[in-house]
């Protein structure tokens, strides 16, 4: 089988188009680039046509269209996504969104080092950066990437403190030499950033790279073989500046500039036995009829998926999920009272969803008490729908029982496949 993937990347001033073909394990990538602002919309499709003509490939021979999803310039992201969707709809093929910051990590020329945390910092203008972090995961024919920090918006001056907290909360491996590598074009846009970070033994400065078409194409090929291509109508840019301005009331209260992520982030790591005391303590704080420490230990022993959220050196939330052959069942998810309303619950739920998708599962289910109105509203906002009611499922006060709302979220089916 020959796989042909067209990749589009316009998240920065670089307008890039790449064509990747794989036949009999041989992979070839050809690309065209143009570096200029405000020209992506007029240049992208002519570059696509020129590249396909140069390689003697018709549009009908394409297996999928990939695009740099962002974050990045608002107009550029819409151009790449819109062109990818339009071509995919017309050709009846899937699309493959690729995080643009991940494409920067994939371009790193340094040797792959398992355990090293790649932190990407891209210029977001206005003295701000887009930041994301990934780890290399060994296994399979090529190393994969594990997301550690989803893209966020930070002030350029916040990056140093973010890195300090990351080094503390992620329990990075004790080894000789750096455990964090920083790269991205923000290093060039804000030279003071490199100067502020220099001299830390646990950190090294990489190159001021930007995402490009070949990197998007190679990551798209991995996603293709993993069954992660999606239907065109499900494709969307990854905007970090969803909220582009503060409200009048927020400004009157002193807010200015653009809404940014807090300096102290929560990071996820796999739940281990040493986390169980903190996990059980949080469970006692937030549940009327909590799981015991032994229940969590049993879950780990059974091989359930389990993660904790760490922030400022302590555990602030956790989740545990059972991956059945046909569904992912979220067994328990909780956030400490002083960590709520900070996006930690969303972070944990997203990890459950991502792990379910990686296993090819079509849906996630969970139970919640009808009396827990806050939780019901949260899950509905995240795309869960009421599936059924289970009578007398939960213990309640005074020896009574309470029903359970069974909620389900359908996960988008992967659509990777062969052309006729």
């Amino acid at each position: 089988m020959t796989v042909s993937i067209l990749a589009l990347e316009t998240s920065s001033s670089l307008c890039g188009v790449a064509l990747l073909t794989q036949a009999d394990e041989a992979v070839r990538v050809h690309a065209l680039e143009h570096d200029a602002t405000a020209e992506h919309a007029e240049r992208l499709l002519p570059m696509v046509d020129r590249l396909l003509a140069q390689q003697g490939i018709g549009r009908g021979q394409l297996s999928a269209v990939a695009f740099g999803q962002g974050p990045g310039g608002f107009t550029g992201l819409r151009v790449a996504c819109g062109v990818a969707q339009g071509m995919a709809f017309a050709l009846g093929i899937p699309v493959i969104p690729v995080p643009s910051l991940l494409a920067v990590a994939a371009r790193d020329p340094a040797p792959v080092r398992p355990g090293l945390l790649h932190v990407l910092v891209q210029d977001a203008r206005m003295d701000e950066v887009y930041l994301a972090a990934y780890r290399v995961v060994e296994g399979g024919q090529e190393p994969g990437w594990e997301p550690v920090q989803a893209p966020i918006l930070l002030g350029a001056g916040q990056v140093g403190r973010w890195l300090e907290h990351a080094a503390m909360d992620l329990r990075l491996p004790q080894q000789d030499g750096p455990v964090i590598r920083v790269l991205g074009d923000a290093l060039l846009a804000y030279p003071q950033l490199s100067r502020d970070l220099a001299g830390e033994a646990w950190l090294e400065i990489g190159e001021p790279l930007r995402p490009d078409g070949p990197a998007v194409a190679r990551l798209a090929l991995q996603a293709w073989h993993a069954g992660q291509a999606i239907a065109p109508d499900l494709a969307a840019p990854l905007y970090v500046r969803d909220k582009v301005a503060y409200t009048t009331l927020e400004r009157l209260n002193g807010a200015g500039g653009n809404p940014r992520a807090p300096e102290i982030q929560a990071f996820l790591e796999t739940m281990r036995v040493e986390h169980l005391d903190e996990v059980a303590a949080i469970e006692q704080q937030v549940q009327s009829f909590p799981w015991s420490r032994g229940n969590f230990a049993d879950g780990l022993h059974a091989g359930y998926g389990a993660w904790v959220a760490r922030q400022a050196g302590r555990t602030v939330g956790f989740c545990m999920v059972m991956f059945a052959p046909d569904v992912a069942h979220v067994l328990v998810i909780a956030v400490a009272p002083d960590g709520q309303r900070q996006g930690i619950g969303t972070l944990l739920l997203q990890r459950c969803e991502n792990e379910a998708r990686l296993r090819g599962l079509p849906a996630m289910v969970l139970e919640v008490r009808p009396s827990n109105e806050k939780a019901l509203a949260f899950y509905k906002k995240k795309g869960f729908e009421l599936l059924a009611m289970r009578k007398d499922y939960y213990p309640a006060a005074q020896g009574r029982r309470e029903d359970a709302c069974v909620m389900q979220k359908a996960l988008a089916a992967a659509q990777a496949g062969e052309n006729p």
Side-chain angles (χ1 to χ4, degrees):
M1 179 188 77
T2 297
V3 177
S4 298
I5 297 175
L6 179 71
L8 317 173
E9 168 50 46
T10 58
S11 65
S12 69
S13 63
L14 187 66
C15 182
V17 178
L19 177 65
L20 179 149
T21 57
Q22 182 185 47
D24 299 326
E25 303 302 321
V27 176
R28 296 187 304 158
V29 181
H30 298 88
L32 294 175
E33 292 181 347
H34 179 76
D35 197 351
T37 57
E39 297 182 9
H40 296 342
E42 63 187 77
R43 289 186 176 272
L44 188 60
L45 274 172
M47 289 172 64
V48 167
D49 290 336
R50 187 160 76 250
L51 181 60
L52 292 177
Q54 287 176 356
Q55 302 307 315
I57 291 181
R59 292 191 180 191
Q61 295 173 266
L62 295 175
S63 307
V65 184
F67 69 99
Q69 190 180 23
F74 183 75
T75 301
L77 297 186
R78 289 191 298 170
V79 168
C81 181
V83 170
Q85 283 181 304
M87 292 185 66
F89 272 124
L91 299 171
I93 58 177
V95 298
I96 305 175
V98 174
S100 297
L101 294 179
L102 179 56
V104 179
R107 288 194 62 198
D108 190 358
V112 172
R113 283 178 280 166
L116 182 70
L117 185 69
H118 288 70
V119 177
L120 300 315
V121 286
Q122 291 296 103
D123 182 18
R125 310 284 180 90
M126 297 180 287
D127 200 33
E128 294 173 330
V129 303
Y130 299 119
L131 180 148
Y134 300 89
R135 274 198 188 103
V136 173
V137 178
E138 291 189 303
Q141 295 182 345
E142 292 187 52
W145 294 92
E146 175 191 13
V148 174
Q149 172 64 63
I152 56 174
L153 179 71
L154 289 178
Q158 293 178 285
V159 173
R161 280 180 54 79
W162 187 95
L163 291 166
E164 291 174 1
H165 286 290
M168 174 176 59
D169 287 328
L170 292 174
R171 299 184 183 181
L172 297 171
Q174 298 297 317
Q175 61 186 44
D176 294 333
V179 292
I180 294 179
R181 179 172 170 83
V182 181
L183 60 158
D185 69 0
L187 297 171
L188 188 62
Y190 306 110
Q192 185 61 41
L193 186 59
S194 295
R195 292 193 289 270
D196 291 344
L197 299 177
E200 298 288 355
W202 47 271
L203 182 145
E204 66 184 18
I205 304 296
E207 299 185 24
L209 301 173
R210 291 181 292 177
D212 66 4
V216 171
R218 292 184 182 279
L219 289 169
L221 181 63
Q222 292 183 21
W224 170 269
H225 287 302
Q228 295 169 359
I230 62 174
D233 59 310
L234 298 176
L238 175 59
Y239 296 126
V240 172
R241 281 190 174 125
D242 284 335
K243 181 179 180 181
V244 296
Y246 288 107
T247 64
T248 301
L249 179 60
E250 287 170 329
R251 291 187 181 280
L252 288 174
N253 289 330
N258 295 294
R260 298 173 178 171
E263 291 182 1
I264 303 178
Q265 292 286 308
F267 301 94
L268 299 189
E269 63 177 309
T270 302
M271 186 186 296
R272 299 187 299 274
V273 172
E274 54 263 38
H275 295 128
L276 293 185
D277 287 340
E278 290 179 299
V279 166
I282 294 173
E283 177 78 351
Q284 289 282 342
Q285 289 179 284
V286 300
Q287 300 290 353
S288 301
F289 296 87
W291 279 28
S292 68
R293 186 186 188 281
N295 293 143
F296 289 107
D298 290 343
L300 290 184
H301 182 73
Y304 295 159
W307 296 271
V308 295
R310 301 275 300 172
Q311 187 179 53
R314 69 188 185 98
T315 298
V316 293
F318 60 86
C319 61
M320 184 169 282
V321 56
M322 178 179 66
F323 298 109
D326 58 344
V327 72
H329 189 169
V330 181
L331 301 173
V332 61
I333 182 169
V335 178
D338 60 351
Q340 295 176 5
R341 304 187 67 82
Q342 297 181 33
I344 296 171
T346 296
L347 191 66
L348 290 162
L349 194 60
Q350 286 175 342
R351 173 54 65 90
C352 296
E353 183 172 332
N354 290 341
E355 294 290 334
R357 290 181 187 276
L358 289 174
R359 290 164 171 79
L361 297 177
M364 292 169 52
V365 298
L366 53 82
E367 295 89 16
V368 62
R369 293 174 184 266
S371 59
N372 193 344
E373 296 180 358
K374 187 166 69 172
L376 284 171
F378 171 76
Y379 292 125
K380 287 178 181 178
K381 184 178 179 181
K382 300 305 178 183
F384 283 81
E385 298 178 345
L386 182 64
L387 181 65
M389 297 292 291
R390 287 183 176 161
K391 296 294 292 182
D392 299 333
Y393 183 78
Y394 289 112
Q398 299 177 342
R400 299 177 180 176
R401 307 290 297 183
E402 184 175 1
D403 296 344
C405 298
V406 182
M407 306 188 75
Q408 175 176 287
K409 179 177 182 178
L411 304 180
Q415 293 196 2
E418 299 182 21
N419 283 335

